[in-house]
Amino acid sequence: MVKNTQVIFKKVPTSYLPVAGEHITTQDTEFDLDTQLSNGQFIIKQLVLSVDSYMRGRMRDPSVKSYNSAFEIGKPLLCGTMSSVIKSNNPQFKVGDLVYSSGGKFEEYSLVDDDTADDYKIRNEPKETGLPPSYYLGLLGMPGLTAYVGLIKFGQPKKDETLYVSAAASCVGQLAGQLGKTFGMNVIGSAGSDEKVEFLKEFGFDNAFNYKTNDINTKLEEQAPKGIDVYYDNVGGKTLEAAINHLNHYSRIVGCGMISQYADHPETPANLIELIKRRVQFTGFVVTDHSDMEDEFRKDVTKWFLEGKLNYKESLADGIEKTPQALIDVLQGKNLGKQVVKVTDL
């Protein structure tokens, strides 16, 4: 038997921010590594956990309908994980294989059954590229694919156009902006601190501003004098409203995420009529609908990163017990880049 620390969804929060220990907590259980495996089963040890803002939307009463399922009270949180196979009775998963899951359990050890094995994908690339496993939860994982699909498929970038990215210091935002630069776009980003603004400029954004200390409309008028052609929206609410005020005719909005809608009193834009007047194409998307682009994405972004054409920043919390606070930090915008939790080294 070994100790198996789990991150448990304990109680539905009644306000925007959950409280560590009250709504999310860690508990120690035991895991039997010597258990006899049935056909198709394998055991994994988690290496890295992905902590994402959308997890807050799953911390709800299951009777409240949404596009994603609610976490189960008393059970581990579920999100992206990178793990190592340590015991296997499944011919597709060998001991030593690295595996990715978009809905792995937040616990140190997991037993994977044959009927859920399809949720795990072999990701042995870190052994070849030398990149950390955590990068396959961010730059080369779901957030990276989100940026790639959103900008390329729905943003339809063109040289010399202006791209505005909100929450631009996030994993999705930083990559969406950098991809825009590879297409020759003029890229503007907004973030929630002066430190993040400097980070965006270092990553090649043409302009960036702190939306907490500046009026968004004023900054967009200043930094996008020719208007916005593509708005990559991670925020919604009043930020979306401000972006709409500066959209050009026949521009595109990529509806990626709307973190403002998780708040106690969600903001709503008051100028949606402008989408009609300006003939705007507004496309909301969920990245899991576009797995057909995954191989192309991973090939392109790995190549561009290793060639030095892309930069990447992540926030790493060391230890599974840090997970509750890591999620709270994400919801408060304290993370710089992708937030991950390291459970153990490869």
Side-chain angles (χ1 to χ4, degrees):
M1 291 287 186
V2 293
K3 185 182 76 170
N4 186 26
T5 301
Q6 301 174 313
V7 184
I8 300 296
F9 179 39
K10 187 176 179 182
K11 182 181 177 183
V12 176
T14 56
S15 60
Y16 171 62
L17 285 178
V19 176
E22 180 179 352
H23 304 110
I24 324 165
T25 191
T26 57
Q27 70 176 24
D28 292 339
T29 60
E30 290 187 330
F31 190 94
D32 184 4
L33 292 178
D34 297 322
T35 187
Q36 187 71 30
L37 298 180
S38 301
N39 287 336
Q41 289 186 322
F42 57 98
I43 295 173
I44 55 174
K45 181 173 176 59
Q46 310 293 6
L47 301 174
V48 195
L49 311 177
S50 174
V51 179
D52 297 283
S53 60
Y54 77 81
M55 296 171 69
R56 176 61 185 86
R58 300 186 67 183
M59 298 176 64
R60 66 178 193 279
D61 188 302
S63 65
V64 178
K65 300 302 181 184
S66 180
Y67 71 90
N68 57 17
S69 59
F71 290 136
E72 188 175 350
I73 291 177
K75 301 291 185 180
L77 299 180
L78 306 172
C79 199
T81 58
M82 279 288 288
S83 317
S84 177
V85 178
I86 60 173
K87 188 174 181 179
S88 179
N89 192 20
N90 186 316
Q92 296 181 26
F93 296 89
K94 300 178 177 60
V95 172
D97 278 342
L98 303 182
V99 293
Y100 163 80
S101 174
S102 61
K105 292 182 180 180
F106 275 26
E107 58 184 3
E108 290 183 275
Y109 298 92
S110 295
L111 173 65
V112 181
D113 292 317
D114 185 46
D115 60 352
T116 57
D118 287 346
D119 296 338
Y120 291 82
K121 309 297 180 185
I122 294 174
R123 288 281 178 267
N124 283 325
E125 294 98 319
K127 299 177 182 180
E128 303 164 5
T129 63
L131 298 176
S134 59
Y135 279 29
Y136 292 83
L137 293 175
L139 175 72
L140 295 163
M142 181 273 290
L145 179 61
T146 301
Y148 185 91
V149 170
L151 186 67
I152 294 175
K153 185 168 185 174
F154 301 115
Q156 303 165 26
K158 299 177 180 64
K159 185 178 180 181
D160 296 326
E161 287 189 330
T162 295
L163 166 67
Y164 168 45
V165 183
S166 57
S170 67
C171 183
V172 173
Q174 63 177 270
L175 184 56
Q178 291 182 83
L179 289 174
K181 290 303 299 178
T182 68
F183 285 92
M185 304 181 82
N186 173 53
V187 180
I188 301 163
S190 58
S193 72
D194 292 341
E195 178 190 13
K196 291 181 178 180
V197 168
E198 290 307 310
F199 156 73
L200 293 175
K201 291 177 179 178
E202 290 173 8
F203 271 29
F205 282 61
D206 296 285
N207 283 291
F209 63 91
N210 184 339
Y211 72 88
K212 291 184 178 178
T213 57
N214 291 278
D215 178 72
I216 300 175
N217 274 296
T218 300
K219 296 306 291 186
L220 289 178
E221 183 175 354
E222 182 183 297
Q223 297 186 358
K226 296 181 180 180
I228 296 168
D229 300 293
V230 180
Y231 171 45
Y232 199 108
D233 184 27
N234 292 300
V235 176
K238 295 303 180 183
T239 304
L240 173 58
E241 180 177 298
I244 289 172
N245 288 334
H246 299 273
L247 290 176
N248 290 325
H249 279 58
Y250 306 103
S251 55
R252 287 85 68 198
I253 298 176
V254 180
C256 172
M258 293 193 175
I259 195 170
S260 67
Q261 302 307 293
Y262 301 149
D264 297 334
H265 304 287
E267 302 172 346
T268 55
N271 58 348
L272 294 181
I273 187 73
E274 292 297 323
L275 301 180
I276 299 172
K277 294 179 180 179
R278 303 178 193 221
R279 289 79 162 171
V280 174
Q281 177 179 304
F282 191 145
T283 307
F285 76 102
V286 176
V287 70
T288 51
D289 294 338
H290 304 280
S291 57
D292 58 305
M293 295 181 67
E294 193 168 351
D295 290 342
E296 170 194 342
F297 146 73
R298 193 168 290 106
K299 178 182 176 182
D300 285 346
V301 173
T302 299
K303 179 175 180 290
W304 295 335
F305 181 77
L306 293 176
E307 289 176 348
K309 295 178 180 178
L310 297 173
N311 293 298
Y312 181 62
K313 174 72 174 179
E314 65 181 9
S315 294
L316 188 146
D318 193 356
I320 191 170
E321 71 281 356
K322 304 287 182 61
T323 306
Q325 186 58 50
L327 177 56
I328 294 167
D329 287 347
V330 167
L331 296 174
Q332 291 180 313
K334 293 182 179 180
N335 59 304
L336 184 54
K338 173 68 184 160
Q339 178 69 62
V340 294
V341 174
K342 185 178 79 171
V343 180
T344 190
D345 291 315
L346 178 62

